[in-house]
Amino acid sequence: MDDHRDNEIQGIDGASHPTGESQGTNTSKKTKFRGPSKGVQAKKPMHLQYNQYGIPDGEWSGEYGKQVGSCAARININVKEYSTLDEHTKKGFWEETKLLFHIIDDPAKRREKYFHMCVAKRFGAFKSRLTRRWITKKEKMPKHQTNDMPWDIYHQITEDDWKTFVMERNKPEMLVRREKASKSALQNKHPHRTGQKGYVRKRPEWINDGRLPPEAALTLSSGSSSVTSSLTTAPDRFKKFRSVEWILAHQVKNKEGKWEVDPNDKEAVNIAKMAVSAYEILRSISFSFLIPSSIAKIASPFHHVYHLIFTFLILIVGVHKRRGKRKYFIHPGRRCPHQGYGKKGSPWACQGNRWS
């Protein structure tokens, strides 16, 4: 499910971003700088809510992100992976978070598993940021931190820890791993424009702005209950609004102050057009307001072509992956003879795991 993506985890080295002014200038304009997390700072009791996908949502989801960053920042940077961290420490992180947000464990431990997944991602991202800023220098430092070293900014890091970290990051196997990760990152050709908020925290904004229908809101349940939300309505909601949200997440404001898919990203614009056309076929929702009129005019002459393409894909050909083996079902009434349908020698007979 796309809602489980990493873009739902707020921040990298901490979700609290202090505001400061550039040194050496007399301007009163304030600039936001990314820095270490200040941790959770709430003046009233926090009762975290979970949406129907089991993801923290609602009023306190941002503070939950800060708590995740705070836990990740307390781990020694020379721990190779979060999974290798001792169980006592990981359990302590979770128990602390439960107390802060009045969370009760669910029977399947999904909330705890999701929390550890978030901390693991944040920890890995934090170490990557240290590498980009001080080792490979691919990321520019903020002006007010130009001459600072890691231990000047992140007080949990000592000079000895940093020396060990640099030696580890410059090993040949780490260089190969880093190169592989860089190539993998380049495969993300259409990054979302939601910033650190991700889909979870942007969704209420889209609804309030009228860019997303009110019925797109997710069902929330209290974290103080051990009963998890029902997912019976999740598949229908997913089919109905997922493409809409994808388009919204890739929109930017143009010169007129209107939202549109970034015109410089031609492929994303084409994907948006095809998504709109596909949903017109299903007639499940009308969201012509999601793309600018100029794109709508361009797309309209080709609607009948998109109709044919999507009808063919949806109704004729279904590509289905199961247990690592790909099977093609050309007709809903025909199946692989290994499952009891079809005859050998017929046009529908299969060879191994593929239709002939």
Side-chain angles (χ1 to χ4, degrees), residues 203-332:
R203 190 175 292 117
E205 293 183 14
W206 293 333
I207 294 173
N208 292 335
D209 294 343
R211 299 165 64 199
L212 195 63
E215 57 267 26
L218 295 178
T219 303
L220 301 183
S221 63
S222 173
S224 58
S225 171
S226 61
V227 180
T228 55
S229 300
S230 172
L231 289 176
T232 53
T233 59
D236 292 338
R237 187 214 168 274
F238 182 81
K239 293 176 183 177
K240 194 172 183 180
F241 298 111
R242 185 61 193 92
S243 291
V244 185
E245 292 177 345
W246 188 92
I247 295 173
L248 289 172
H250 290 78
Q251 287 186 334
V252 294
K253 275 191 175 181
N254 57 23
K255 294 180 179 179
E256 290 76 28
K258 297 181 179 180
W259 292 97
E260 64 175 0
V261 177
D262 186 0
N264 296 320
D265 191 345
K266 303 297 182 183
E267 191 173 351
V269 171
N270 290 331
I271 292 173
K273 290 185 211 172
M274 296 179 71
V276 171
S277 183
Y279 274 83
E280 284 180 354
I281 298 172
L282 300 176
R283 294 181 179 180
S284 59
I285 185 172
S286 174
F287 48 89
S288 59
F289 60 90
L290 292 176
I291 58 176
S293 57
S294 57
I295 294 180
K297 290 179 181 178
I298 295 173
S300 58
F302 302 98
H303 277 184
H304 64 285
V305 177
Y306 294 142
H307 288 180
L308 291 174
I309 293 174
F310 276 87
T311 301
F312 180 74
L313 291 175
I314 295 171
L315 303 179
I316 309 282
V317 178
V319 181
H320 169 65
K321 287 185 178 181
R322 185 178 182 185
R323 295 181 181 177
K325 297 180 180 180
R326 181 174 290 180
K327 299 179 181 180
Y328 297 83
F329 300 112
I330 306 300
H331 189 281

Side-chain angles (χ1 to χ4, degrees), residues 126-138:
F126 175 53
K127 294 201 295 182
S128 295
R129 161 159 279 195
L130 293 174
T131 303
R132 292 195 308 271
R133 282 191 171 182
W134 282 279
I135 298 178
T136 63
K137 300 187 184 298
K138 290 184 177 180

Side-chain angles (χ1 to χ4, degrees), residues 89-113:
T89 302
K90 289 193 284 189
K91 193 68 177 177
F93 287 159
W94 174 236
E95 292 298 328
E96 176 186 312
T97 305
K98 284 167 58 179
L99 289 173
L100 277 172
F101 295 95
H102 298 84
I103 302 172
I104 294 179
D105 282 316
D106 58 291
K109 301 284 186 182
R110 291 176 183 173
R111 294 168 182 172
E112 182 177 1
K113 291 175 183 177

Side-chain angles (χ1 to χ4, degrees), residues 116-181:
H116 290 308
M117 182 191 73
C118 293
V119 178
K121 287 186 176 182
R122 187 73 65 82
F123 179 59
F126 175 53
K127 294 201 295 182
S128 295
R129 161 159 279 195
L130 293 174
T131 303
R132 292 195 308 271
R133 282 191 171 182
W134 282 279
I135 298 178
T136 63
K137 300 187 184 298
K138 290 184 177 180
E139 182 178 326
K140 290 184 179 180
M141 294 286 293
K143 291 182 180 180
H144 73 300
Q145 295 178 349
T146 303
N147 299 320
D148 290 340
M149 292 301 291
W151 55 85
D152 296 322
I153 302 171
Y154 306 103
H155 301 298
Q156 72 275 16
I157 299 176
T158 65
E159 292 189 45
D160 290 337
D161 287 339
W162 180 249
K163 290 178 183 178
T164 304
F165 182 76
V166 173
M167 290 177 58
E168 183 68 26
R169 288 279 161 160
N170 285 324
K171 288 183 177 180
E173 58 267 27
M174 288 301 298
L175 296 177
V176 172
R177 183 177 175 181
R178 193 183 306 153
E179 182 65 23
K180 184 178 179 181

Side-chain angles (χ1 to χ4, degrees), residues 62-79:
E63 295 298 322
Y64 178 87
K66 292 180 183 180
Q67 171 65 9
V68 168
S70 174
C71 293
R74 284 179 256 167
I75 304 172
N76 189 292
I77 57 174
N78 292 308
V79 173

